[in-house]
Amino acid sequence: MERKELLKLLDFAVSTVKKVGVIALNPREQLDIQTKSNRNDLVTNVDKEIEQFIADEMLAKTGYPVLGEEGHRVDSFDGRVWLLDPIDGTMNYVETHRDYAISLALCEDGIPVLGVVQDVTGDKTYTAVLGGGAFCNGQPLGIVNPDVDYTQVLLLTDLKEILALPRLARVLEESRGHRRYGSAALEMSTVAAGRAGGFVHLWVSPWDIAAATLICSESGCVVTRLDGTTVDVRQKGSVLAAWPTVHSSLLYRLVQSPN
Ligand code: 2AM
Ligand code: CA
């Protein structure tokens, strides 16, 4: 797709996502909270309303189908498909009322070519188009530091990763510290923006990471699965997103090192 066409689509995606941010902040109806796969996997009427609004807009304006976390399905990933997480960090939306994002990506044959991550309460719009660099609120993010290793940065991960990967506890002790926000899209965007060096998650879905993967790679981060293999955003799985040397040093210490 031509850069000019992508930038036009990006403008439309950003204005749509910003519009629905207002719905998240001022829901028209009382919040109705339901559980999905487990008691901490939540969905609300606002997630569903946002998904419906964005899916309708994207389909009407572009004709490309939408895969969304809360029910929109596609027959195939061939050609152009929108990937949408209406609220990434629904637990935060319900409990802390901050650190949740709207994540929207356009994929071409499964490759993200446009991404928007809207930090609703932080009022930050992270964007990227393939080959065009990454931005926050229209300002270039620049390229992350390629030289420092994991001992020199903050790392973003969660207790379930630490419990599953005993080596991760040791790595976090050796790093500058451990943080967790509870939204994969925002955490990856934080790494892209240079405020943390790496993000480790064991189980993300296509809509959690499609936009943020592009924002990360456009700011010079390396994004792979936890075993170092390429991420196909069409598949669920683990993710290791980090500045280049943070990534290689983490991969060695977590996976490749004999002890
Ligand atoms: P969600 O809020 O859209 O569900 C929290 O660890 C991060 O992992 C969030 O980005 C959350 O996205 C994502 N996640 C993916 N699958 C999840 C699940 N089954 N339960 C809770 N969080 C999940
Ligand atoms: Ca979600």
Side-chain angles (χ1 to χ4, degrees), residues 73-95:
R73 293 292 171 261
V74 294
D75 294 332
S76 118
F77 276 104
D78 292 349
R80 297 171 189 168
V81 174
W82 293 102
L83 256 72
L84 169 63
D85 191 341
I87 300 187
D88 185 57
T90 302
M91 183 60 81
N92 289 346
Y93 183 65
V94 169
E95 294 291 336

Side-chain angles (χ1 to χ4, degrees), residues 136-149:
C136 181
N137 293 346
Q139 299 299 311
L141 286 182
I143 294 295
V144 295
N145 186 333
D147 298 322
V148 294
D149 69 17

Side-chain angles (χ1 to χ4, degrees), residues 18-166:
K18 283 188 167 176
K19 245 186 245 170
V20 289
V22 177
I23 300 179
L25 290 169
N26 307 294
R28 284 189 280 253
E29 291 172 11
Q30 205 187 344
L31 204 59
D32 171 26
I33 304 162
Q34 291 168 4
T35 55
K36 298 197 287 182
S37 61
N38 64 66
R39 62 185 283 269
N40 291 329
D41 184 10
L42 305 180
V43 61
T44 74
N45 50 327
V46 176
D47 296 61
K48 292 175 188 167
E49 188 182 345
I50 290 176
E51 177 159 322
Q52 193 64 51
F53 184 92
I54 296 180
D56 288 349
E57 291 283 301
M58 292 300 132
L59 190 62
K61 171 90 176 182
T62 69
Y64 310 146
V66 179
L67 173 66
E69 179 172 18
E70 310 308 342
H72 286 78
R73 293 292 171 261
V74 294
D75 294 332
S76 118
F77 276 104
D78 292 349
R80 297 171 189 168
V81 174
W82 293 102
L83 256 72
L84 169 63
D85 191 341
I87 300 187
D88 185 57
T90 302
M91 183 60 81
N92 289 346
Y93 183 65
V94 169
E95 294 291 336
T96 67
H97 313 296
R98 52 174 289 180
D99 300 321
Y100 57 90
I102 301 165
S103 171
L104 178 63
L106 181 66
C107 289
E108 217 165 40
D109 297 324
I111 309 282
V113 294
L114 173 169
V116 183
V117 172
Q118 177 73 16
D119 176 350
V120 176
T121 59
D123 204 18
K124 289 190 175 70
T125 311
Y126 298 95
T127 55
V129 298
L130 188 62
F135 293 77
C136 181
N137 293 346
Q139 299 299 311
L141 286 182
I143 294 295
V144 295
N145 186 333
D147 298 322
V148 294
D149 69 17
Y150 74 81
T151 65
Q152 293 157 283
V153 297
L154 286 172
L155 295 172
L156 307 178
T157 194
D158 190 29
L159 181 62
K160 64 182 179 318
E161 279 73 24
I162 301 169
L163 293 175
L165 300 166

